Amino acid sequence: MVRTRARRRGQVEAEVRFDSVAALCEAPLLRRDCTFRETGDGGFDLAMTIAPQPSVSPRSGRGVEIRVRTEGRIMEHNSDGPLQRGNVLSWGRPLDRFLGEGLEVRVRTDGTSVFAATTRIVLRSALIAFGIVGVGLTLLLLEGRRRLRRERSGAD
């Protein structure tokens, strides 16, 4: 899917969406080297190098951003931006720098969805909390019994 929209001050935003990461590597967009490999656990490795685009004249104040949203949890990446919602990364730079240097995109995911990973973390945390409370109550009960025994033996 391709969508463009006009922004303020004559800027144009273009958005291109792909049904799969493999389709991204096969699309005839920018001059680039793209490698896509599925991993055995349901994730993938993506390495894409976008070559410098010297034939395009840069305009100041413009920028290029590549955003990847994966179904799986992101395990490794080279983005200098923050990881958003556990599965969204973006690589961006000013247009003049992009046209002169290009851009390298690397991301590795696993087959675990962000929801499943979050659910596991919450369940583990709850298990640890209940374990700590259980150990504390057990120690309290044992200490109470020990004191009762001591009081009974002292009263005799």
Side-chain angles (χ1 to χ4, degrees):
M1 175 181 93
V2 177
R3 182 176 75 175
T4 59
R5 65 180 170 175
R7 304 289 294 208
R8 61 180 181 262
R9 287 182 257 139
Q11 296 178 344
V12 176
E13 179 179 279
E15 181 177 328
V16 181
R17 291 182 181 226
F18 297 94
D19 293 331
S20 70
V21 179
L24 169 67
C25 286
E26 296 166 1
L29 287 174
L30 302 167
R31 290 192 318 260
R32 71 198 186 289
D33 293 325
C34 189
T35 306
F36 171 77
R37 182 178 61 85
E38 291 187 27
T39 58
D41 61 358
F44 66 85
D45 288 328
L46 171 69
M48 182 170 61
T49 303
I50 301 173
Q53 311 290 318
S55 61
V56 181
S57 62
R59 291 188 160 177
S60 62
R62 309 289 168 115
V64 172
E65 180 181 37
I66 294 176
R67 183 177 292 243
V68 175
R69 180 171 108 33
T70 66
E71 295 300 320
R73 187 173 50 158
I74 295 174
M75 303 302 291
E76 187 179 313
H77 63 87
N78 71 334
S79 171
D80 53 358
L83 184 62
Q84 301 162 359
R85 295 183 305 202
N87 67 339
V88 178
L89 278 176
S90 60
W91 291 260
R93 61 177 46 162
L95 183 61
D96 55 350
R97 192 168 150 217
F98 170 74
L99 295 174
E101 299 174 11
L103 184 64
E104 184 179 345
V105 172
R106 282 190 338 268
V107 63
R108 182 175 62 85
T109 69
D110 70 358
T112 307
S113 72
V114 174
F115 177 75
T118 304
T119 302
R120 258 189 251 138
I121 290 170
V122 168
L123 290 176
R124 282 182 191 154
S125 300
L127 184 62
I128 290 169
F130 286 128
I132 290 171
V133 168
V135 167
L137 288 175
T138 302
L139 292 174
L140 185 65
L141 181 69
L142 292 174
E143 179 65 19
R145 284 184 180 175
R146 187 182 65 77
R147 286 183 182 184
L148 279 174
R149 272 191 232 123
R150 193 180 316 147
E151 284 179 10
R152 285 184 188 156
S153 65
D156 293 336

